[in-house]
Amino acid sequence: GYVGGVVFKDLNGNGRQDPEEDGIPDVALQVGKGKVTTDKDGRYSIKVKAKKVQVSVDFNSVPPGFVFTTSLTQSVEIVPLSTVKANFGLTTRSDLYGVAYCDTNDNRKPDGDESLIAGVRVLLDGKEESITDFEGSYSFSNISPGKHEVSIDVNSIPLEYLPLIKLKTEVEIQEGVTYVFHIPLKKK
């Protein structure tokens, strides 16, 4: 029999390939004792001489920034002269992270001796909100790749500080990458 299927970008995380979800090429799979690599459409097929096999993705062949939405390994029963499916879904984790701090040396980078500022409200695309914690950090997880607007609520900045950056900034989030956006402040 045969084992075949697809390794795909599971954009909505539901574990099934939907029409708008593309396959991922060049992903290696171990099928019993055999090995196979996905084609340009993320598809694969391999002939198997066994009653049952383990199908698993070689995690080292998965592009950086992807995490599984399905099991990494599947056990399948082989049906003679038929193809048994074993599909694998992956999704990217694109995040946004930053720190609000008092930039005393004006280098636009948080240094170890600079004060971290809690309570600063940060908005993503005017909808999602994150407030800096006691270490001055905030984050947004599972952001779709593309352009996003990061805005800082000026009313949440402690009165003794002024922002050293624009209150609204457009950022370009890449697939599978954590974008770093710090919030430097200065004392009045």
Side-chain angles (χ1 to χ4, degrees), residues 69-139:
T69 60
T70 60
S71 169
L72 175 67
T73 301
Q74 297 179 34
S75 182
V76 295
E77 302 267 340
I78 303 303
V79 178
L81 305 174
S82 296
T83 299
V84 179
K85 290 203 177 290
N87 296 332
F88 296 90
L90 298 163
T91 190
T92 55
R93 290 278 319 236
S94 299
D95 302 323
L96 175 70
Y97 160 84
V99 174
Y101 64 99
C102 181
D103 192 10
T104 56
N105 61 6
D106 207 25
N107 70 352
R108 299 294 197 265
K109 292 186 297 195
D111 298 311
D113 60 342
E114 293 176 325
S115 301
L116 304 172
I117 314 299
V120 176
R121 184 171 174 248
V122 183
L123 294 167
L124 181 66
D125 298 327
K127 300 176 210 144
E128 291 182 65
E129 152 182 298
S130 182
I131 297 175
T132 59
D133 62 16
F134 70 97
E135 293 178 325
S137 67
Y138 73 94
S139 65

Side-chain angles (χ1 to χ4, degrees), residues 2-188:
Y2 292 86
V3 175
V6 64
V7 178
F8 63 97
K9 289 183 184 179
D10 192 4
L11 301 174
N12 60 9
N14 70 356
R16 293 184 314 273
Q17 186 179 22
D18 296 313
E20 71 280 359
E21 296 174 335
D22 296 330
I24 303 172
D26 303 319
V27 176
L29 294 103
Q30 182 81 38
V31 183
K33 294 180 180 171
K35 291 185 184 232
V36 64
T37 302
T38 59
D39 66 14
K40 66 180 179 56
D41 298 320
R43 300 201 172 284
Y44 73 95
S45 180
I46 187 170
K47 189 173 185 175
V48 177
K49 291 185 179 182
K51 290 184 178 186
K52 188 175 188 178
V53 292
Q54 294 283 342
V55 182
S56 58
V57 174
D58 176 357
F59 193 73
N60 294 324
S61 69
V62 173
F66 279 88
V67 293
F68 282 88
T69 60
T70 60
S71 169
L72 175 67
T73 301
Q74 297 179 34
S75 182
V76 295
E77 302 267 340
I78 303 303
V79 178
L81 305 174
S82 296
T83 299
V84 179
K85 290 203 177 290
N87 296 332
F88 296 90
L90 298 163
T91 190
T92 55
R93 290 278 319 236
S94 299
D95 302 323
L96 175 70
Y97 160 84
V99 174
Y101 64 99
C102 181
D103 192 10
T104 56
N105 61 6
D106 207 25
N107 70 352
R108 299 294 197 265
K109 292 186 297 195
D111 298 311
D113 60 342
E114 293 176 325
S115 301
L116 304 172
I117 314 299
V120 176
R121 184 171 174 248
V122 183
L123 294 167
L124 181 66
D125 298 327
K127 300 176 210 144
E128 291 182 65
E129 152 182 298
S130 182
I131 297 175
T132 59
D133 62 16
F134 70 97
E135 293 178 325
S137 67
Y138 73 94
S139 65
F140 296 97
S141 298
N142 293 329
I143 303 170
S144 61
K147 293 183 190 234
H148 294 274
E149 183 184 82
V150 178
S151 53
I152 302 149
D153 179 358
V154 71
N155 296 320
S156 68
I157 298 172
L159 290 175
E160 67 268 25
Y161 295 103
L162 293 171
L164 292 172
I165 58 172
K166 295 187 295 183
L167 294 177
K168 289 186 180 187
T169 304
E170 187 176 271
V171 297
E172 178 89 26
I173 304 291
Q174 301 296 318
E175 186 173 61
V177 173
T178 296
Y179 189 95
V180 178
F181 185 79
H182 294 308
I183 304 168
L185 305 170
K186 70 174 183 179
K187 285 208 174 211
K188 289 182 182 176

